[in-house]
Amino acid sequence: MSDHVAEYLASGPSFRESQVIERIETFRKRRPRLRDTVVTLAHGAGGKASAALVDAVFVEAFRNPYLEALGDGAVVAMPGGQRMAMSTDSFVVQPLRFPGGSIGHLAIHGTLNDLAMAGAVPSWITAAFVLEEGFPIAELREIVADMAAAALAAGVQIVTGDTKVVPRGAADGMFITTAGVGIVPAGRELSPHSVRPGDRVLVSGTIGDHGMAVMLARGDLAIEADIHSDTAAVSELVERLLEAAPSTRWLRDPTRGGVGTVCNELAQATGLAVVLEEDRLPIKPEVGGACEMLGIDPLYVANEGKFLAVVDPDEAENALAALRSHPDGQDATEIGHIADEPVATVVVRTGFGGTRIVDMLVGDPLPRIC
């Protein structure tokens, strides 16, 4: 039996051993396999193609228990007994500036939020820049200023970094990679293996704002809408949630691939069902309208300042109240629950009383949004 199955079994008596093994094996059979011979844009979209690439190339080469957890960050034990969370991310958004933020804001918020999803309090961050020859220094100063302001507001320091310059046409202006470190408070455990049937699924605010803001900012679509990115650091909001709901099971920020993809990752990691209520999904009218015009399901549109939480049903009310007490969590909503069936699947109950399956996409309808 694998370490992950053993951990799952040890975490509670909700399932018989045979049921757990059956669910995990079902998940393994559903994992996409890499059949491509070259890298495509779909491999960077966070969907099935990304999962296949990560499993077949990176996990296979670097295999270890921390990496196999496939989280946005790794929690490692330090010699003194403390636990440290580490995370890294690259940012290639186009355009570099959009309503509500810039690549500089994303570079800080994205990594800090991944640390927060691991239960860590972020402390330090690094930044590496790949700059294209001819990039305006004035624009570089503005983006760096955005990063400095975002880090200061979040209470973290940018402590080291690197800069590379490539020839014209080789980097589309600018790429940024950041890495972050934070400390996980003693006794805090967040894991998909803690999730149980009956648990409630919460989202900290409206969904789809960032992806649609970036898409419209490109100017390729004949759509005008007042949509702003939700890019923000969520650490303070997470701490408020965990204080009110200390038995919180799992956290994840729905960036690439949106809520639909993240829920599929949770369903596959647990062998359980994530049941969402369509009429509870918090979607701004302008975002919903733009998605409808483009034929895109808002569940697959990226966010950069929101997170999903699975909480104990007895703490759900307190959790929502805590989230809504913060300016960035006023639209927090309970959007669904965890169930036994269907195994390793995400379903949405529609407003007409029916259900539909929300599968993980192969690619991303909105590429390069982070």
Side-chain angles (χ1 to χ4, degrees), residues 17 263 312:
E17 181 173 337
C263 285
D312 185 302

Side-chain angles (χ1 to χ4, degrees), residues 131-140 165-170 172-174:
L131 306 175
E132 185 178 332
E133 178 187 15
F135 192 81
I137 295 296
E139 188 173 356
L140 176 60
V165 178
V166 296
R168 291 178 186 270
D172 205 3
M174 166 191 286

Side-chain angles (χ1 to χ4, degrees), residues 247-267:
S247 298
T248 294
R249 321 291 199 198
W250 172 89
L251 299 173
R252 192 69 178 268
D253 55 335
T255 52
R256 288 180 305 168
V259 170
T261 296
V262 167
C263 285
N264 267 279
E265 291 172 350
L266 175 62

Side-chain angles (χ1 to χ4, degrees), residues 56 91 93 100 106-107 131 160 165 187 199 225 267-268 272 302 331:
F91 301 86
V93 65
L106 291 183
L131 306 175
T160 189
V165 178
D199 287 344
Q268 292 171 0
L272 297 170
D331 294 314

